[in-house]
């Protein structure tokens, strides 16, 4: 990938896509193509074909997806499977048809079996049943991995798949119903502090463990893999460290400066007990994450506060 290569970042207004665009700009890439969902609806096969025919990108980062936290995944499974399958099929097929040199597809650590041995190695894929709260999303993302694999096998396309762990960062979704845990807790603690509330409610037991990667680190890993990795096997991207949701809540409480109590809502699901990724394959390519969790949360909290009144 050269500095003047034509690069299409699908999903550039989302948290992941915007971080990839930011990283590409920092590195001096000058020919980045983006389209809003109004300009290009990736669910529409005809629109996607027209776009590829006209633009002919050389490299594609496929970061467009319908994403959400445990409640959104569990409540809107049809939308999660349909939207994601359509986006992947349209973009990957047209990347093949219009001779894209390389495509990087973004999946998620929820594609692994619910009770996978920890840390989770890439080869544990499809060795057991999925977590029910995100089965629809996981099935779509598994299909994305399969699309990359089979277009490589049949047509020799250099399409690679990257499986990030739970992400957080600037431009995250802070809507309490549809967001992931980390932005939800930033908002809950911030609003409780402002309103002088005595308690903040967190969902579930607080016992599940999650691994959190700062999205700018993911973006850096994606550019690194685009430049240096060319194999069929999907690659885990994470920090190699996880913590209990209860501990995460306490870190966010400290960063926000809230001094009330934390209450658990046991009517809400815990989801997967643990999904720590084995990152040996990624390390063997020469990449490790650099942002520690507290530092990343501080950055996101400062950004959130700067946006709060807008
Ligand atoms: O981040 P989260 O929604 O996603 O939830 P998953 C992680 C854990 O945090 C669960 C708990 O055990 C939640 O019950 N939690 C505590 C909360 N308080 C809250 C809260 O206020 N909001 C939210 N959202 N959670 C998603 C998958 O799973 O992760 C997706 O559904 C995807 O498919 C994504 O893989 C990365 O880690 O459980």
């Amino acid at each position: 990938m050269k500095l003047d290569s034509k690069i299409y970042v699908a999903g550039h207004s989302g948290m992941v896509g915007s971080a990839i665009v930011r990283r590409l700009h920092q590195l001096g890439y000058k020919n980045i193509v983006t389209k809003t969902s109004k300009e290009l609806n990736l669910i529409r096969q005809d629109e996607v074909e027209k776009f590829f025919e006209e633009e002919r990108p050389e490299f594609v980062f496929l970061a467009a997806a319908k994403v959400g936290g445990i409640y959104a995944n569990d409540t809107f499974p049809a939308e999660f499977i349909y939207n994601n399958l359509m986006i992947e099929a349209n973009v990957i097929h047209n990347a093949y048809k219009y001779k894209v040199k390389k495509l990087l597809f973004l999946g998620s650590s929820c594609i692994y079996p619910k009770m996978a041995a920890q840390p989770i190695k890439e080869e544990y894929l499809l060795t057991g049943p999925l977590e029910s709260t995100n089965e629809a999303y996981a099935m779509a993302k598994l299909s994305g991995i399969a699309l990359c694999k089979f277009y490589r096998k049949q047509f020799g396309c250099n399409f690679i798949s990257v499986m990030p762990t739970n992400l957080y960062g600037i431009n995250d979704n802070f809507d309490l119903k549809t967001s992931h845990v980390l932005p939800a807790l930033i908002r809950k603690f911030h609003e409780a502090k402002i309103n002088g509330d005595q308690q903040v409610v967190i969902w579930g037991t607080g016992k599940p463990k999650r691994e959190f990667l700062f999205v700018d680190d993911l973006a850096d890993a994606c550019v690194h893999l685009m430049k240096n990795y060319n194999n069929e096997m999907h690659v885990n991207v994470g920090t190699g460290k996880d913590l209990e949701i209860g501990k995460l809540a306490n870190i966010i409480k400290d960063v926000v400066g809230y001094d009330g109590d934390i209450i658990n809502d046991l009517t809400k699901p815990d989801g997967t007990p643990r999904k720590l990724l084995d990152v040996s394959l990624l390390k063997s390519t020469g990449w490790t994450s650099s942002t520690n969790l507290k530092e990343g949360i501080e950055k996101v909290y400062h950004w959130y506060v700067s946006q709060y009144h807008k």
Side-chain angles (χ1 to χ4, degrees):
M1 196 164 67
K2 301 197 195 91
L3 293 181
D4 60 355
S5 299
K6 192 167 201 179
I7 304 167
Y8 171 46
V9 180
H12 74 288
S13 53
M15 178 175 74
V16 172
S18 62
I20 292 174
V21 170
R22 214 161 41 241
R23 186 68 189 132
L24 289 169
H25 279 145
Q26 282 164 357
L27 292 169
Y29 290 92
K30 295 188 250 320
N31 196 1
I32 302 167
V33 182
T34 57
K35 293 280 176 199
T36 63
S37 50
K38 275 201 182 127
E39 292 167 329
L40 171 60
N41 182 350
L42 293 173
I43 289 166
R44 304 278 320 167
Q45 195 176 16
D46 52 345
E47 290 186 30
V48 179
E49 168 135 32
K50 187 164 172 277
F51 165 78
F52 273 87
E53 192 180 12
E54 282 171 13
E55 291 286 349
R56 310 265 171 168
E58 296 169 86
F59 295 87
V60 174
F61 289 89
L62 179 40
K66 178 169 176 66
V67 299
I70 192 165
Y71 176 83
N73 269 269
D74 203 21
T75 314
F76 312 113
E79 290 171 49
F80 273 82
I81 194 164
Y82 175 75
N83 286 272
N84 287 307
L85 282 175
M86 295 305 284
I87 293 169
E88 292 158 10
N90 288 337
V91 174
I92 292 172
H93 179 71
N94 283 293
Y96 145 69
K97 193 165 173 186
Y98 292 96
K99 301 191 171 32
V100 164
K101 288 182 184 151
K102 189 165 178 182
L103 174 144
L104 181 150
F105 167 68
L106 277 143
S108 163
S109 61
C110 71
I111 47 127
Y112 290 110
K114 173 173 185 164
M115 302 313 279
Q118 309 283 319
I120 308 171
K121 292 182 192 293
E122 283 83 357
E123 56 265 33
Y124 297 170
L125 197 77
L126 295 172
T127 54
L130 296 165
E131 154 62 25
S132 63
T133 56
N134 60 36
E135 192 180 346
Y137 179 73
M139 291 293 281
K141 290 293 181 184
L142 285 165
S143 301
I145 299 175
L147 281 163
C148 291
K149 175 176 162 182
F150 294 127
Y151 276 75
R152 172 184 291 274
K153 183 177 175 192
Q154 187 175 343
F155 302 120
C157 299
N158 192 2
F159 295 170
I160 62 168
S161 296
V162 168
M163 296 307 117
T165 189
N166 287 43
L167 301 167
Y168 68 100
I170 284 152
N171 292 326
D172 208 339
N173 170 18
F174 289 83
D175 176 275
L176 292 180
K177 277 205 170 141
T178 57
S179 64
H180 291 99
V181 60
L182 198 150
L185 296 189
I186 286 182
R187 177 168 178 176
K188 286 181 181 178
F189 283 114
H190 181 69
E191 292 187 340
K193 183 174 86 167
I194 290 180
N195 299 332
D197 297 341
Q198 301 298 305
Q199 295 172 341
V200 162
V201 176
I202 69 166
W203 296 352
T205 60
K207 297 285 176 218
K209 290 181 128 186
R210 293 289 182 273
E211 176 185 9
F212 295 96
L213 178 70
F214 191 51
V215 75
D216 290 80
D217 285 4
L218 172 72
D220 189 52
C222 287
V223 176
H224 164 81
L225 291 167
M226 187 63 119
K227 286 160 73 175
N228 299 298
Y229 186 80
N230 297 301
N231 297 335
E232 176 190 307
M233 179 60 92
H234 54 280
V235 188
N236 290 341
V237 181
T239 63
K241 290 179 214 147
D242 62 356
L243 81 171
E244 287 187 358
I245 295 299
K247 290 213 170 113
L248 173 78
N250 277 299
I251 295 174
I252 297 176
K253 182 180 163 184
D254 277 0
V255 169
V256 170
Y258 171 72
D259 54 15
D261 298 325
I262 297 175
I263 304 289
N264 293 86
D265 176 357
L266 300 178
T267 67
K268 295 285 193 304
D270 271 347
T272 308
R274 198 177 179 201
K275 42 181 172 176
L276 177 65
L277 293 178
D278 181 305
V279 287
S280 318
L281 175 59
L282 178 64
K283 273 194 182 157
S284 74
T285 71
W287 191 91
T288 45
S289 69
S290 58
T291 309
N292 90 32
L293 182 59
K294 184 147 191 238
E295 186 192 323
I297 292 172
E298 282 166 355
K299 283 187 187 168
V300 178
Y301 182 55
H302 289 138
W303 177 82
Y304 175 73
V305 170
S306 75
Q307 301 293 307
Y308 190 73
H309 295 291
K310 286 186 186 167

